[in-house]
Amino acid sequence: MTRLKMGMIGGGLGSFIGDVHRKAAGLDGMISLVCGAFSSTEEKSIASAKAIGIPKSRAYGSYQQMIKAEAKLPEDERMDFVAIVTPNHMHFPPAKMALEHGFHVICDKPLSLNMEEAIELEKIVQSTGKVFALTHNYTGYPMVKQAKAMIAKGDLGTIRKINVQYLQGWLSSAVEKTDHKQAAWRVDPKRSGIGGALGDIGTHAENLVEYISGIHINELAADLTAFGEGRTLDDDGNILLRFENGAKGTMTFSQIATGEENGLAIKIYGTKGSVDWHQENPNELVVKWLNQPKQTYTPGGNGGYPEASEYVRIPAGHPEGYLEGFATIYRSFAKELNHVKQGNSPSSLPDFPTVQDGVRGMNFIYKAVESSSNNASWVTLKS
Amino acid sequence: MTRLKMGMIGGGLGSFIGDVHRKAAGLDGMISLVCGAFSSTEEKSIASAKAIGIPKSRAYGSYQQMIKAEAKLPEDERMDFVAIVTPNHMHFPPAKMALEHGFHVICDKPLSLNMEEAIELEKIVQSTGKVFALTHNYTGYPMVKQAKAMIAKGDLGTIRKINVQYLQGWLSSAVEKTDHKQAAWRVDPKRSGIGGALGDIGTHAENLVEYISGIHINELAADLTAFGEGRTLDDDGNILLRFENGAKGTMTFSQIATGEENGLAIKIYGTKGSVDWHQENPNELVVKWLNQPKQTYTPGGNGGYPEASEYVRIPAGHPEGYLEGFATIYRSFAKELNHVKQGNSPSSLPDFPTVQDGVRGMNFIYKAVESSSNNASWVTLKS
Amino acid sequence: MTRLKMGMIGGGLGSFIGDVHRKAAGLDGMISLVCGAFSSTEEKSIASAKAIGIPKSRAYGSYQQMIKAEAKLPEDERMDFVAIVTPNHMHFPPAKMALEHGFHVICDKPLSLNMEEAIELEKIVQSTGKVFALTHNYTGYPMVKQAKAMIAKGDLGTIRKINVQYLQGWLSSAVEKTDHKQAAWRVDPKRSGIGGALGDIGTHAENLVEYISGIHINELAADLTAFGEGRTLDDDGNILLRFENGAKGTMTFSQIATGEENGLAIKIYGTKGSVDWHQENPNELVVKWLNQPKQTYTPGGNGGYPEASEYVRIPAGHPEGYLEGFATIYRSFAKELNHVKQGNSPSSLPDFPTVQDGVRGMNFIYKAVESSSNNASWVTLKS
Amino acid sequence: MTRLKMGMIGGGLGSFIGDVHRKAAGLDGMISLVCGAFSSTEEKSIASAKAIGIPKSRAYGSYQQMIKAEAKLPEDERMDFVAIVTPNHMHFPPAKMALEHGFHVICDKPLSLNMEEAIELEKIVQSTGKVFALTHNYTGYPMVKQAKAMIAKGDLGTIRKINVQYLQGWLSSAVEKTDHKQAAWRVDPKRSGIGGALGDIGTHAENLVEYISGIHINELAADLTAFGEGRTLDDDGNILLRFENGAKGTMTFSQIATGEENGLAIKIYGTKGSVDWHQENPNELVVKWLNQPKQTYTPGGNGGYPEASEYVRIPAGHPEGYLEGFATIYRSFAKELNHVKQGNSPSSLPDFPTVQDGVRGMNFIYKAVESSSNNASWVTLKS
């Protein structure tokens, strides 16, 4: 097996998400980080490279520089793909350039700064024929896969009700006014786009709902609020949902839910049964039935479907966490790349979030903001 | 101590809630059941009376008969108050008659079949000066009292977000078409009024939210659905909430949430901390803080406020349940009756849900139905 | 239905367990408290009687006085049975006298102050033919009944391993040196007997293990400790267990387990499955299987056996607690009394803990103390 | 930063623990796998090497071959240390040879096949001055570190009671008679040594108890059982513990606890508070206090000590699991290696389990077997 070669854009020293991407990419031994434009200056980029064992020669001062230089390297040396781990406003430009220079792309969410970029990016992916993955990492948990498989097989019957929450408390106080890098860009429309918590975590919730249930949101009515003094972007939102199959639901998300850490949780109710999953305790899937006692499924445990078990790395009872779920996205991305490198066409339904999912996410942001601007009136998601 | 004498309207053999009221009323040794119009015929009423040890002479064939007969008994023999445990359409008539004949009333929720009755009942309570309690029993749990006290004292700071759910699954299938007495009247507008799950459990959620938070709902946007085939009343609902102080929230309730038993749960977020309580595990109150580890409070356990501890009957670690919470409403009602019997005026803020709370609940039902009829448009609760 | 008439011995003002017994006895409407020797002086006894609505004429200054006086009353007036809720040293004398004067007895645990009394009491129960129940109340929980039924039916296969704990922390500090009535007698051998925590809670654990598993402890090796300064009775113990069928196990109990409230919990492992139950969350029984996902049973919920469901008072999801479990002992006792009052012989296997169970418990205390005195050497329980 | 170079002994295709070690070693980017004697034949070893991207030239047919060959490579090319991931009987020989050829060693637990090897290995480590780590990986969890730190600082007061369990069910049926590689060697004394479940998981429990509490076991009385038909090694055990400071406790472990996955859990009670941690939900540490509500600590969450926080890789609420905890052992080992490579002496108290801990573990196995052979009589651990 030859490892795939990854170039990283962003993720310099002190970046939370860059480190996550590196660990996730490396976990299954299918990918090696070989180069990076880690920071906005060459000096900083080299410092970051040094700290993580990348030679100075492969540390670049800008993504443009990196893409051009790497493209000129021999095929067995140059990077195979780029991982984009910058704030939202810096997703589209490097993604576009990388794709157009023949590199595959894996990119943090949301897809882009705005809708126009999202639509253009979808076109570029299609025209270049390159592989593009979006790291909606929560879809990588085995118990999320189990829930998805149970619904797809009809175990729960017809889905009628969905409640999803994504609750955090880290913006409860005005941390963006302190020296808090993460907070600073998230409350800044220039770097985040039109969604605050909506874009940062609401899109994860939207993606998870559609991924597990297999049904699309049809309409929404959103009530977004910026509670933090001086904030222009939402830090909290409550949304009514209507799904294409007639199911109804709610979404609530917040970054001012004091004391919550990373409370992404989902409940989906069908006519025969229901599933209940919480990201902070990701190795349990509670399934409640119409006529049987409720069950708890675990990764690799009794009764799990192969659709879930294949994502389990260690025996039942040995908890896997956030990094492992994230790594599953990278592993599926790597498998697809190997598939394509062997001369195959990209899969039509690859096992990771795609640029189309990213466009759906951007559309969700736009429609939620539109609804909220109109006093939470209903907005249809289909364009 | 002389026990207060209770007459019961409804609650004959096979009634779930009648038995609950009897056990709750008796638990603290302050109330004795002395008579009842348990069923719609004298024969059935006598049979019920016999089964629970009430002499035939005090078993009546109708509430009218009971109220008239009891009113003629000597004071130390006749009932002090009536407990009304019939379906919704039979709340107002006996309540009105009892009050007007000098009896205090404790009544199951919701207050009445419709808004007109509710408003009239409020007037009758005021004009007669009798004590009236509504059994929103979930306010009787010690950890609900603890949460309320913490918010009232400002421990959580300013409240900004509230999520409440009340999820049941017992109407997931068409049980009303089988011989299911409870289901039959709940899906029947003539006996339930204009709210289905909304009236049956949504009002509990509404009452609990306002009780714990101490703030009122200002506006709502409700999306109600009747999923069960042939049902005309909602069996599921999702509601956006806006509170008088600027807080936002969601309510979701359902009786088609397959596998759920009695899932009433509430999360309230303030600027300094938050509370998280679930009725199915009522002896834990989880409190999350801005800067401290989360805590779990228990009835009679360390750190509890007197406002909660006074409702605890047994030492910490000995779970109290639904009946005990329900009994607390009766105990507070009994205390108020003893207070009034000693010649005092009724308390302005008694420690149980009042007719005003009942009117608020009916208003909530009406406004939610109105909103839902208008495609979940916003409706203001204040009239 | 005529209510059975209860006389209480002990349980005056300020008694925790007296109030529990009264509430438990009254809950199901089958028993009325009619008289009591609540305290050691007539004056105090009358004060207690007054507070709970018992007429002065039926408040006695001593149990002797009560038993004699009640025996002279006409049958339809005099008490049917006595409830003994005094400290351990005052169990045997009133029990003996009551039985010998024709009264049935329900008694708090452990059975008596010492082994001699226990054996004599067993004989008196047999010779008088009266009904005797011991309030090992934890056997009254529906999920305990469910676990017992599953094992009895062979659902779990052959039992091989049992771990039981009963952990409290209320004696972590020297509360007996403050004005703490409960603590004072529990650390006093004259009132408690030779077991401290062993007798107070260890016997509950022993009873629960044998009740649920249906198998007896054969041998034990006990390491008892008095951690509290100046204490002569154990406040902590760890015991190795060997069962008659070859199963092995551990028991750990403590009243110095700081921060624990009332942590009685049991895990029983068979060849096919296992059960896991915790008293502080009594409405869940977790069942783990060899080849199926684990299940959670709830009172009145899906899949429960009739052996459990018949003890459920309210629908699934409405938690029942300690008082309800306790009340189940009283209800079963009342049923047996009604059975016997109709001229039947006492049941050979009544549905409540018997004097034989009490003798087993006393034997357990003696053998554990004997083992611990011999440096935790093995002692056989069979005499 | 230059990555340390790892050679692996064992861990070929199909090995569970080999894959765990590779992922754990690689996670933090401080270590690269460069060579391996993955299997007992060169052919199989090469196949394994190929599958994980190791060149054929560095795949060896035996550990002897590898150690000799690597020793001859230039320093900047040859491996820095070996990771030994073979069954127990193959720990000592390669460890000895590697140390004596100048390589550092990280080795799976238990330390060796028998006591003699353990003692000799301790001497070899001392005489060679090389770094030796034992992968008692559960000590790597942040909440284990938090518990240890709280006890070390005296937050819990004097420790008086410890209960530890390690419950698995995977040997409940006779899987060793099927084609189950893991089971086969674990029930075989030639490959496992004299302890079955005792050596496999009991030693983890022993190590964890001493690691968190900071106090040593002084005496034990062990009752070991082989429940599985035909098994000669224990698959279940119950042990009474006495600690050097006077604390008492119990240990129970099993591989026939049907339905349990990987249930390692520990409760430690001090005079001021207690800790409660469960490996299957490793991101919560419950701390119960004498006079305050119980708290739940989380990795990176409020109130955590730096001693725990420094082991947290991602923000609070993003669960880390088994691999991350395991990786922490590797990370600490790598730090120590870098420290030593810079010319420093090995640390006297390195932040990972040492050969001394391994000797303690072997002694624990021997003393438990001795005790059990003498009908669970007390045995002192100090030699």
Side-chain angles (χ1 to χ4, degrees):
Chain A
M1 203 211 62
T2 315
R3 296 194 181 198
L4 292 161
K5 295 180 287 301
M6 176 166 87
M8 180 165 273
I9 297 169
L13 290 174
S15 157
F16 147 55
I17 205 68
D19 191 49
V20 165
H21 277 258
R22 282 189 291 270
K23 287 183 164 62
L27 189 71
D28 291 305
M30 300 173 75
I31 294 167
S32 292
L33 179 66
V34 297
C35 64
F38 300 107
S39 298
S40 48
T41 72
E42 194 167 342
E43 195 183 355
K44 283 188 188 171
S45 193
I46 289 173
S48 293
K50 193 179 171 190
I52 55 179
I54 301 296
K56 193 176 164 179
S57 62
R58 304 289 284 276
Y60 302 96
S62 73
Y63 72 86
Q64 294 94 334
Q65 207 183 327
M66 178 170 91
I67 291 169
K68 283 182 200 161
E70 290 285 322
K72 290 177 193 156
L73 293 177
E75 198 181 339
D76 66 344
E77 204 176 315
R78 74 168 175 251
M79 66 182 184
D80 290 294
F81 71 94
V82 298
I84 301 174
V85 301
T86 44
N88 305 352
H89 69 301
M90 284 300 288
H91 289 180
F92 175 75
K96 173 179 155 75
M97 185 173 172
L99 291 164
E100 291 177 347
H101 281 73
F103 296 107
H104 306 286
V105 172
I106 188 164
C107 181
D108 213 284
K109 42 53 54 186
L111 184 58
S112 54
L113 186 67
N114 58 44
M115 198 66 209
E116 294 68 36
E117 289 179 357
I119 291 166
E120 192 180 341
L121 196 52
E122 185 179 13
K123 288 181 191 156
I124 297 169
V125 172
Q126 281 163 349
S127 64
T128 59
K130 294 293 154 191
V131 181
F132 185 96
L134 196 71
T135 53
H136 276 305
N137 57 290
Y138 298 110
T139 61
Y141 280 113
M143 290 301 93
V144 164
K145 304 279 188 189
Q146 175 71 17
K148 180 183 179 61
M150 294 182 87
I151 290 173
K153 288 170 199 283
D155 294 355
L156 305 191
T158 305
I159 302 307
R160 302 200 289 198
K161 184 176 184 75
I162 299 178
N163 296 130
V164 64
Q165 64 159 63
Y166 200 148
L167 299 176
Q168 300 181 330
W170 65 292
L171 295 181
S172 281
S173 57
V175 287
E176 72 268 29
K177 293 176 185 165
T178 64
D179 184 24
H180 194 303
K181 201 181 165 184
Q182 302 296 329
W185 75 258
R186 277 192 179 76
V187 304
D188 176 4
K190 287 184 193 137
R191 288 177 282 175
S192 275
I194 64 171
L198 174 65
D200 196 29
I201 58 176
T203 51
H204 270 309
E206 173 263 343
N207 178 263
L208 191 68
V209 163
E210 298 200 342
Y211 179 76
I212 297 181
S213 71
I215 51 178
H216 284 168
I217 301 167
N218 212 30
E219 281 183 283
L220 61 75
D223 195 21
L224 308 177
T225 310
F227 279 104
E229 201 189 323
R231 288 184 192 151
T232 55
L233 295 178
D234 66 279
D235 50 24
D236 181 88
N238 297 308
I239 306 184
L240 297 178
L241 301 172
R242 290 176 180 163
F243 292 85
E244 54 181 355
N245 78 334
K248 302 283 184 80
T250 59
M251 178 187 294
T252 185
F253 58 81
S254 188
Q255 293 179 322
I256 56 95
T258 307
E260 295 287 355
E261 294 184 337
N262 199 36
L264 171 61
I266 187 165
K267 296 179 186 181
I268 302 181
Y269 297 92
T271 47
K272 297 181 189 169
S274 58
V275 290
D276 189 346
W277 179 81
H278 198 300
Q279 190 274 153
E280 291 182 348
N281 190 16
N283 295 300
E284 286 194 358
L285 177 70
V286 176
V287 185
K288 298 167 189 165
W289 300 105
L290 191 58
N291 294 315
Q292 296 293 325
K294 77 174 175 186
Q295 297 179 312
T296 304
Y297 289 76
T298 56
N302 291 332
Y305 281 128
E307 286 88 340
S309 307
E310 69 170 297
Y311 297 97
V312 179
R313 292 175 180 83
I314 33 179
H318 298 74
E320 296 192 53
Y322 176 86
L323 288 173
E324 288 86 341
F326 215 111
T328 291
I329 307 296
Y330 266 95
R331 187 171 65 172
S332 297
F333 178 68
K335 283 186 183 172
E336 175 72 359
L337 254 56
N338 285 328
H339 172 77
V340 168
K341 285 184 81 170
Q342 288 160 16
N344 301 295
S345 303
S347 307
S348 59
L349 281 174
D351 185 24
F352 50 75
T354 64
V355 72
Q356 285 79 18
D357 293 314
V359 172
R360 291 194 65 76
M362 287 308 293
N363 188 41
F364 173 78
I365 294 172
Y366 272 69
K367 296 302 168 68
V369 169
E370 180 189 336
S371 168
S372 191
S373 305
N374 288 298
N375 197 26
S377 62
W378 289 101
V379 175
T380 303
L381 266 75
K382 288 214 179 116
S383 49
Chain B
M1 201 211 62
T2 314
R3 294 192 182 198
L4 292 161
K5 294 179 288 300
M6 175 168 86
M8 179 166 276
I9 296 170
L13 290 173
S15 157
F16 146 54
I17 204 69
D19 191 51
V20 165
H21 278 258
R22 282 189 292 270
K23 286 183 165 62
L27 190 70
D28 291 305
M30 300 173 76
I31 294 168
S32 292
L33 178 65
V34 297
C35 63
F38 299 108
S39 298
S40 48
T41 72
E42 194 167 343
E43 196 183 354
K44 282 189 189 171
S45 193
I46 289 173
S48 292
K50 193 178 170 190
I52 54 178
I54 301 295
K56 195 176 162 178
S57 62
R58 304 289 284 275
Y60 302 95
S62 71
Y63 70 85
Q64 295 94 333
Q65 208 184 326
M66 178 170 92
I67 293 170
K68 283 181 200 160
E70 291 285 322
K72 291 175 192 156
L73 293 177
E75 198 181 340
D76 66 343
E77 204 176 316
R78 72 166 177 252
M79 65 183 186
D80 290 296
F81 70 93
V82 298
I84 300 174
V85 302
T86 45
N88 305 351
H89 69 300
M90 284 298 289
H91 289 180
F92 176 75
K96 173 181 157 73
M97 185 173 169
L99 291 164
E100 291 178 347
H101 282 72
F103 296 108
H104 306 286
V105 173
I106 188 165
C107 182
D108 214 284
K109 42 51 60 187
L111 184 58
S112 54
L113 186 68
N114 57 45
M115 198 64 209
E116 294 69 34
E117 289 179 357
I119 291 167
E120 193 181 339
L121 195 53
E122 185 179 12
K123 288 180 192 158
I124 297 169
V125 171
Q126 282 162 347
S127 64
T128 59
K130 294 292 152 190
V131 180
F132 185 97
L134 196 72
T135 53
H136 276 305
N137 57 290
Y138 298 110
T139 60
Y141 280 114
M143 291 300 94
V144 165
K145 305 278 188 189
Q146 175 71 19
K148 180 182 177 62
M150 295 181 87
I151 290 173
K153 288 171 198 285
D155 293 354
L156 306 192
T158 305
I159 303 305
R160 302 200 289 197
K161 184 177 185 71
I162 299 179
N163 297 130
V164 65
Q165 64 159 63
Y166 200 149
L167 299 176
Q168 300 180 330
W170 66 292
L171 295 180
S172 281
S173 57
V175 287
E176 72 269 27
K177 293 174 186 166
T178 65
D179 184 24
H180 194 303
K181 200 179 165 183
Q182 303 296 329
W185 74 259
R186 278 192 178 76
V187 304
D188 176 5
K190 287 184 195 137
R191 288 179 281 176
S192 275
I194 63 171
L198 174 65
D200 197 31
I201 58 176
T203 51
H204 270 310
E206 173 263 345
N207 178 262
L208 192 68
V209 163
E210 298 200 342
Y211 180 76
I212 298 181
S213 72
I215 51 179
H216 285 169
I217 301 167
N218 212 31
E219 281 183 283
L220 60 76
D223 195 19
L224 308 178
T225 310
F227 279 104
E229 202 189 321
R231 287 182 193 152
T232 54
L233 294 178
D234 66 279
D235 51 23
D236 182 89
N238 298 308
I239 306 184
L240 297 178
L241 301 172
R242 290 176 181 163
F243 292 84
E244 56 182 354
N245 76 334
K248 301 282 184 82
T250 59
M251 177 187 296
T252 186
F253 57 82
S254 189
Q255 293 180 321
I256 57 96
T258 307
E260 295 287 355
E261 295 185 337
N262 200 36
L264 171 62
I266 187 164
K267 297 179 185 181
I268 302 181
Y269 297 92
T271 47
K272 296 182 190 169
S274 58
V275 289
D276 189 346
W277 180 80
H278 198 301
Q279 190 273 151
E280 291 182 347
N281 190 15
N283 295 300
E284 287 193 358
L285 177 70
V286 176
V287 185
K288 299 167 189 165
W289 299 105
L290 191 59
N291 293 317
Q292 296 294 325
K294 77 174 174 186
Q295 296 179 313
T296 304
Y297 288 76
T298 56
N302 291 333
Y305 281 128
E307 286 87 340
S309 307
E310 68 170 298
Y311 297 97
V312 178
R313 292 175 181 84
I314 33 181
H318 298 73
E320 295 192 54
Y322 176 85
L323 290 173
E324 288 86 342
F326 215 111
T328 292
I329 307 295
Y330 267 96
R331 187 171 66 173
S332 296
F333 177 68
K335 283 187 184 170
E336 175 72 1
L337 255 56
N338 285 328
H339 173 76
V340 169
K341 284 183 81 170
Q342 287 160 17
N344 301 296
S345 305
S347 307
S348 59
L349 280 174
D351 185 24
F352 51 76
T354 63
V355 72
Q356 285 79 19
D357 293 314
V359 171
R360 291 194 64 79
M362 287 307 295
N363 187 41
F364 173 77
I365 294 173
Y366 272 68
K367 296 301 169 67
V369 169
E370 179 189 337
S371 168
S372 190
S373 306
N374 289 299
N375 197 25
S377 62
W378 289 101
V379 175
T380 302
L381 266 76
K382 289 216 179 112
S383 47
Chain C
M1 202 209 64
T2 314
R3 296 194 180 194
L4 292 162
K5 294 179 288 299
M6 176 167 89
M8 179 166 273
I9 296 169
L13 289 174
S15 157
F16 146 54
I17 205 68
D19 191 50
V20 165
H21 277 258
R22 283 189 292 270
K23 286 183 165 63
L27 190 71
D28 291 304
M30 299 174 76
I31 294 167
S32 292
L33 178 65
V34 298
C35 64
F38 299 107
S39 298
S40 47
T41 71
E42 194 169 342
E43 195 184 355
K44 282 188 189 171
S45 193
I46 290 172
S48 292
K50 193 179 170 190
I52 56 179
I54 301 297
K56 192 176 163 180
S57 62
R58 304 289 284 275
Y60 302 96
S62 72
Y63 72 86
Q64 294 95 332
Q65 206 184 327
M66 179 170 90
I67 292 170
K68 284 181 199 160
E70 290 285 321
K72 290 177 193 155
L73 293 178
E75 197 181 340
D76 65 344
E77 203 176 315
R78 73 167 176 251
M79 65 183 184
D80 290 295
F81 70 94
V82 298
I84 301 174
V85 301
T86 44
N88 305 351
H89 69 301
M90 284 300 288
H91 288 180
F92 175 76
K96 173 180 156 74
M97 184 173 172
L99 290 165
E100 291 178 347
H101 281 72
F103 296 107
H104 306 286
V105 172
I106 188 165
C107 181
D108 213 283
K109 41 53 54 186
L111 184 58
S112 54
L113 185 68
N114 58 44
M115 198 65 208
E116 294 69 34
E117 289 179 356
I119 291 166
E120 191 182 341
L121 195 53
E122 186 179 12
K123 287 181 192 157
I124 297 169
V125 171
Q126 281 163 348
S127 64
T128 58
K130 294 293 154 190
V131 181
F132 184 96
L134 196 71
T135 52
H136 276 305
N137 58 289
Y138 298 110
T139 61
Y141 280 114
M143 290 301 93
V144 164
K145 305 277 188 188
Q146 175 71 18
K148 179 182 178 62
M150 295 181 87
I151 289 173
K153 288 170 199 284
D155 293 356
L156 305 191
T158 304
I159 302 307
R160 302 201 288 198
K161 185 178 184 72
I162 300 179
N163 297 130
V164 64
Q165 65 159 62
Y166 199 149
L167 300 175
Q168 300 181 330
W170 65 292
L171 296 180
S172 282
S173 58
V175 287
E176 71 269 27
K177 294 174 185 165
T178 64
D179 183 24
H180 193 303
K181 200 179 165 185
Q182 303 296 329
W185 74 258
R186 278 192 180 76
V187 304
D188 176 6
K190 288 186 194 136
R191 287 177 283 175
S192 275
I194 63 170
L198 174 65
D200 196 29
I201 58 176
T203 51
H204 270 310
E206 173 263 344
N207 178 264
L208 192 68
V209 162
E210 297 199 344
Y211 180 76
I212 297 181
S213 71
I215 51 179
H216 285 168
I217 301 167
N218 212 31
E219 282 183 282
L220 60 76
D223 196 20
L224 308 178
T225 310
F227 279 104
E229 202 189 323
R231 286 183 193 153
T232 55
L233 295 178
D234 65 279
D235 51 22
D236 182 88
N238 297 309
I239 306 184
L240 297 178
L241 301 173
R242 290 175 181 164
F243 292 84
E244 55 181 356
N245 76 335
K248 302 282 184 82
T250 58
M251 178 187 294
T252 186
F253 58 82
S254 189
Q255 293 180 321
I256 57 94
T258 309
E260 295 288 355
E261 294 185 336
N262 199 36
L264 171 61
I266 187 165
K267 297 179 185 182
I268 302 180
Y269 297 92
T271 47
K272 297 182 189 169
S274 58
V275 290
D276 189 346
W277 181 80
H278 198 301
Q279 190 273 151
E280 291 182 347
N281 190 16
N283 295 300
E284 286 194 359
L285 177 70
V286 176
V287 185
K288 297 168 189 165
W289 299 106
L290 192 58
N291 294 316
Q292 295 294 325
K294 77 174 175 186
Q295 297 180 312
T296 304
Y297 288 76
T298 57
N302 290 332
Y305 281 129
E307 286 88 340
S309 307
E310 68 170 298
Y311 297 97
V312 179
R313 292 175 180 82
I314 34 179
H318 298 74
E320 296 192 53
Y322 176 86
L323 289 174
E324 288 87 341
F326 215 111
T328 292
I329 307 295
Y330 267 95
R331 187 171 66 172
S332 296
F333 178 68
K335 283 187 183 172
E336 175 72 0
L337 255 56
N338 285 328
H339 172 77
V340 168
K341 284 183 81 170
Q342 287 161 15
N344 301 295
S345 304
S347 308
S348 59
L349 281 174
D351 185 25
F352 50 75
T354 64
V355 73
Q356 285 80 19
D357 293 313
V359 172
R360 290 194 66 77
M362 287 308 294
N363 188 41
F364 173 78
I365 293 173
Y366 272 69
K367 296 300 168 69
V369 169
E370 180 189 336
S371 168
S372 191
S373 305
N374 289 298
N375 197 26
S377 61
W378 289 100
V379 175
T380 303
L381 266 74
K382 290 219 178 108
S383 48
Chain D
M1 200 209 63
T2 315
R3 294 192 182 198
L4 292 161
K5 293 178 289 301
M6 175 167 88
M8 180 166 275
I9 296 169
L13 289 174
S15 156
F16 147 54
I17 204 68
D19 191 51
V20 165
H21 277 258
R22 284 189 291 271
K23 287 183 164 61
L27 190 70
D28 290 305
M30 299 173 75
I31 295 167
S32 292
L33 178 66
V34 297
C35 64
F38 299 108
S39 298
S40 47
T41 72
E42 195 167 343
E43 196 184 354
K44 282 188 189 172
S45 193
I46 290 173
S48 292
K50 193 179 170 191
I52 54 178
I54 300 296
K56 194 176 161 178
S57 62
R58 305 289 283 277
Y60 302 96
S62 72
Y63 71 85
Q64 294 93 334
Q65 209 184 325
M66 179 170 91
I67 291 169
K68 284 181 199 158
E70 290 285 322
K72 290 176 192 156
L73 292 177
E75 197 181 339
D76 66 344
E77 205 176 314
R78 73 167 176 251
M79 65 181 185
D80 291 296
F81 71 94
V82 298
I84 300 174
V85 301
T86 45
N88 305 350
H89 68 303
M90 285 297 290
H91 289 180
F92 175 75
K96 173 180 156 74
M97 185 174 171
L99 290 165
E100 291 177 348
H101 282 73
F103 295 107
H104 307 286
V105 173
I106 187 165
C107 181
D108 213 284
K109 43 50 60 187
L111 184 58
S112 54
L113 185 68
N114 57 45
M115 198 64 210
E116 294 68 35
E117 289 180 358
I119 291 166
E120 192 181 340
L121 195 54
E122 186 179 10
K123 287 180 191 156
I124 298 169
V125 170
Q126 280 163 349
S127 64
T128 59
K130 293 293 153 191
V131 180
F132 185 97
L134 195 71
T135 53
H136 276 305
N137 57 290
Y138 298 109
T139 60
Y141 280 113
M143 290 301 93
V144 164
K145 305 278 189 190
Q146 175 71 19
K148 181 182 177 62
M150 294 181 87
I151 290 172
K153 288 171 199 285
D155 293 354
L156 306 191
T158 305
I159 302 306
R160 302 200 289 197
K161 184 177 184 71
I162 299 179
N163 297 129
V164 64
Q165 65 160 61
Y166 199 149
L167 299 175
Q168 299 180 331
W170 65 292
L171 295 180
S172 281
S173 57
V175 288
E176 70 270 28
K177 294 174 186 166
T178 64
D179 184 25
H180 193 302
K181 201 179 164 184
Q182 302 298 327
W185 75 258
R186 278 191 179 77
V187 304
D188 175 6
K190 287 186 194 135
R191 288 178 282 175
S192 274
I194 63 171
L198 174 66
D200 196 31
I201 58 176
T203 50
H204 270 310
E206 172 264 344
N207 178 263
L208 192 68
V209 162
E210 297 200 342
Y211 180 75
I212 297 181
S213 72
I215 51 180
H216 284 168
I217 301 167
N218 211 32
E219 281 184 282
L220 60 76
D223 195 19
L224 308 179
T225 310
F227 279 104
E229 202 189 322
R231 286 183 193 152
T232 55
L233 294 178
D234 66 279
D235 52 22
D236 182 88
N238 297 308
I239 306 184
L240 297 178
L241 302 172
R242 290 176 180 162
F243 293 84
E244 56 182 354
N245 77 334
K248 301 282 183 82
T250 58
M251 178 187 296
T252 186
F253 57 82
S254 189
Q255 292 180 322
I256 56 96
T258 308
E260 294 288 355
E261 294 185 337
N262 199 36
L264 171 61
I266 187 165
K267 296 179 185 181
I268 302 180
Y269 297 92
T271 46
K272 296 182 190 170
S274 58
V275 289
D276 188 347
W277 179 81
H278 198 301
Q279 189 273 151
E280 291 182 347
N281 190 15
N283 295 301
E284 286 193 359
L285 177 70
V286 176
V287 185
K288 298 167 188 164
W289 299 105
L290 192 59
N291 294 316
Q292 295 294 323
K294 78 174 174 186
Q295 296 180 313
T296 304
Y297 287 76
T298 57
N302 290 334
Y305 280 129
E307 286 88 340
S309 308
E310 68 170 296
Y311 297 97
V312 179
R313 293 175 180 84
I314 34 180
H318 298 73
E320 295 192 55
Y322 176 86
L323 289 174
E324 288 85 342
F326 215 110
T328 291
I329 307 295
Y330 267 96
R331 187 171 67 173
S332 296
F333 177 69
K335 283 187 183 171
E336 173 73 358
L337 255 56
N338 286 328
H339 172 77
V340 168
K341 284 183 80 169
Q342 286 160 17
N344 301 297
S345 305
S347 307
S348 59
L349 281 173
D351 185 23
F352 49 77
T354 64
V355 72
Q356 286 79 19
D357 294 313
V359 172
R360 292 194 65 76
M362 287 308 294
N363 188 41
F364 173 77
I365 293 173
Y366 271 69
K367 296 301 168 70
V369 169
E370 179 189 337
S371 168
S372 192
S373 306
N374 289 299
N375 197 26
S377 62
W378 288 101
V379 176
T380 302
L381 266 75
K382 290 222 178 104
S383 47

